[in-house]
Amino acid sequence: EVQLLESGGGLVQPGGSLRLSCAASGFTFSTYDMSWVRQAPGKGLEWVSSINRSGRTTFHADSVKGRFTISRDTSKNTLYLQMNGLRGEDTAVYYCATIWDYWGQGALVTVSS
Amino acid sequence: QSVLTQPPSASGTPGQRVTISCSGSSSNIGSYTVNWFQQLPGTAPKLLIYSNNQRPSGVPDRFSGSKSGTSASLAISGLQSEDEADYYCAAWDGSLNGHVFGTGTKVTVL
């Protein structure tokens, strides 16, 4: 069974940092490009970042460029999102996903003082 | 600031056909394939249609997708109560160098 399990979410103050992890199982992680997508409370879906299967090519939305970094560790079947300089508008549920067959259940990130 | 525009809502009675539009531009829908997602309340999105009109295994054939120029559409025929959800289109945007999602459409079964 395919599983994507996000972890690392929580409450953080503005300007703070957080690292999300996404543990993959049930499929060959190394053969899939991966993405992070977020959804602010009561809002629509917003693409955040993507990484290719080798990890050598990454893309980030303009809204997070320079603050967020996507990476992957194929030996651990895990996707990461390092989030620095967090702002209130980054408050959202963050989903990890393959592009786009499989999705995780989401991790809530709340940025507030 | 979604670059793909969808109507905020759509509705129909059980058994009816509902169509949702997704309007983009030459840098996204006009150049790349469109995917559609269904998000039931309180759950993660689920891939409904990929590559404009292909259904993943397990998706009922009541759901169909099409694309013409810089617009795409999702049709739900034989509407059922369990189809009540939010629906999103998405595509790669070559100008932004990233994926873009539609504004989302809430489907209500009357």
Side-chain angles (χ1 to χ4, degrees):
Chain A
E1 179 197 4
V2 170
Q3 278 199 319
L4 291 169
L5 287 176
E6 300 97 337
S7 60
L11 175 63
V12 61
Q13 291 189 337
S17 298
L18 216 53
R19 188 177 83 157
L20 299 181
S21 299
C22 172
S25 61
F27 66 102
T28 308
F29 179 70
S30 61
T31 65
Y32 279 78
D33 298 342
M34 299 292 296
S35 285
W36 289 97
V37 174
R38 69 184 180 183
Q39 187 168 35
K43 302 296 184 182
L45 301 174
E46 180 189 13
W47 169 76
V48 175
S49 302
S50 292
I51 188 168
N52 74 341
R53 58 205 68 185
S54 72
R56 285 194 283 269
T57 301
T58 63
F59 301 94
H60 294 85
D62 286 345
S63 57
V64 306
K65 206 168 286 184
R67 300 187 299 123
F68 291 12
T69 302
I70 188 172
S71 63
R72 64 192 298 162
D73 186 336
T74 300
S75 68
K76 295 181 179 178
N77 282 354
T78 302
L79 177 73
Y80 301 101
L81 185 67
Q82 178 65 44
M83 303 184 292
N84 300 329
L86 282 161
R87 307 166 180 167
E89 55 264 37
D90 296 319
T91 294
V93 173
Y94 285 73
Y95 296 101
C96 82
T98 63
I99 305 177
W100 294 105
D101 315 62
Y102 310 124
W103 292 68
Q105 85 290 347
L108 177 61
V109 172
T110 303
V111 183
S112 174
S113 55
Chain B
Q1 57 278 11
S2 302
V3 299
L4 303 183
T5 303
Q6 301 177 231
S9 63
S11 62
T13 57
Q16 275 191 329
R17 176 184 171 92
V18 167
T19 302
I20 300 168
S21 62
C22 175
S23 177
S25 68
S26 59
S27 64
N28 42 66
I29 294 177
S31 300
Y32 300 93
T33 60
V34 177
N35 305 298
W36 288 91
F37 302 88
Q38 177 192 58
Q39 188 176 31
L40 298 170
T43 70
K46 168 191 167 185
L47 181 65
L48 205 59
I49 297 286
Y50 67 96
S51 296
N52 302 328
N53 54 18
Q54 302 299 302
R55 281 186 309 276
S57 173
V59 173
D61 59 7
R62 304 185 290 104
F63 294 93
S64 62
S66 64
K67 183 182 113 169
S68 178
T70 59
S71 293
S73 293
L74 173 72
I76 310 173
S77 59
L79 193 66
Q80 299 183 6
S81 58
E82 56 260 41
D83 298 334
E84 199 160 272
D86 294 323
Y87 293 83
Y88 296 89
C89 58
W92 179 260
D93 190 296
S95 293
L96 296 175
N97 239 5
H99 297 278
V100 288
F101 282 90
T103 49
T105 299
K106 183 175 183 62
V107 169
T108 302
V109 181
L110 302 171

